[in-house]
Amino acid sequence: QVQLMESGGGSVQSGGSLRLSCAASGNIGSRFMMGWFRQAPGKEREGVAAIDDDGTTDYADSVKGRFTVSRDNAKNTMYLQMNNLKPEDAAMYYCAADPTVDEWWLLTHAGDVEVWGQGTLVTVSS
């Protein structure tokens, strides 16, 4: 069974940067899509970035050009580099994994994702 653990959240000022990490343990198999989601209070969970095990990525329009997702398959770890953070980026960020082969499917089907982490909180002050 796959388990995911996020780290790296914190508080930053608007325009600042943070790097989130997601460590996977257990048998994640030979092909496992991974992604980042976020959920702000009173809002639905939304997909932020997805990355396949071959490095193919996709992003929500709201973060394109500011966030970069990467993955180290040897370490079973995924990262999210977040630059130029805005107050609207503040949320609980969750790591996710699913055997889907479609990055966009992962970003738009939060309710169907198989594995979730516990989340790490990101706050951005203006």
Side-chain angles (χ1 to χ4, degrees), residues 3 34 39 41 50 58 61 69 79 83-84 92 94 103 108:
Q3 292 184 322
M34 297 185 74
Q39 188 167 19
D58 206 349
D61 287 343
V69 61
Y79 306 95
N83 297 329
N84 190 22
M92 186 70 79
Y94 297 92
E103 292 82 11
T108 55

Side-chain angles (χ1 to χ4, degrees), residues 109-126:
H109 289 78
D112 297 316
V113 170
E114 283 197 5
V115 186
W116 291 99
Q118 294 298 310
T120 186
L121 184 64
V122 172
T123 59
V124 184
S125 58
S126 57

